[in-house]
Amino acid sequence: MRNETVKVKLQVPQGTEVTKSSNKFSTINIYIGRNSYGDTQIQVNDRLCSLDQVGALVQNFQSNLADEAQENLIVNLRADKGTNMGLVNDVKKELRNVGALTIRYSATEKQK
């Protein structure tokens, strides 16, 4: 269950191979969507931020975890289906720079 309030508007894409994540303790959630003015916004857990702040926020979260949990950090990335892939790639680059290499993309299950 999510602890933070999503402050951006999302309509996640649908997928056919959707599974649930089981490890909630070493998981950080990143949302990319639109704010109330229609501008693209990034949210890391419960905090709205710019692209430049993503790495520092993830690193701060990671430093508060136990050593074993730091190694098993999982980033859940939820992006609006209309989000520019260039921004998603820029977020992934920031994550790579701080060593957060395990990324899961969120989607809803496609109706059959």
Side-chain angles (χ1 to χ4, degrees):
M1 190 156 155
R2 195 172 28 231
N3 290 337
E4 63 271 346
T5 303
V6 180
K7 300 174 184 172
V8 295
K9 295 177 184 174
L10 294 173
Q11 184 177 11
V12 288
Q14 295 181 338
T16 56
E17 302 296 321
V18 179
T19 59
K20 286 198 174 229
S21 175
S22 61
N23 187 355
K24 304 291 183 191
F25 299 109
S26 59
T27 302
I28 191 166
N29 294 301
I30 298 179
Y31 307 94
I32 305 172
R34 302 222 177 260
N35 61 18
S36 57
Y37 302 109
D39 300 323
T40 302
Q41 184 72 58
I42 300 170
Q43 178 179 338
V44 176
N45 281 343
D46 216 13
R47 184 161 177 214
L48 294 173
C49 66
S50 67
L51 176 62
D52 297 336
Q53 297 171 315
V54 170
L57 289 171
V58 170
Q59 211 168 23
N60 185 36
F61 177 84
Q62 201 172 18
S63 68
N64 292 327
L65 297 173
D67 290 339
E68 184 179 311
Q70 285 181 12
E71 295 172 9
N72 298 322
L73 178 70
I74 297 170
V75 176
N76 284 329
L77 183 59
R78 292 182 66 122
D80 183 78
K81 68 180 183 178
T83 299
N84 182 324
M85 278 306 294
L87 178 59
V88 173
N89 286 332
D90 290 343
V91 169
K92 288 171 43 179
K93 186 176 179 181
E94 288 292 319
L95 295 171
R96 198 175 315 120
N97 289 341
V98 295
L101 304 176
T102 305
I103 302 172
R104 292 192 178 156
Y105 301 91
S106 295
T108 56
E109 193 164 0
K110 200 173 218 177
Q111 299 296 325
K112 296 179 183 180

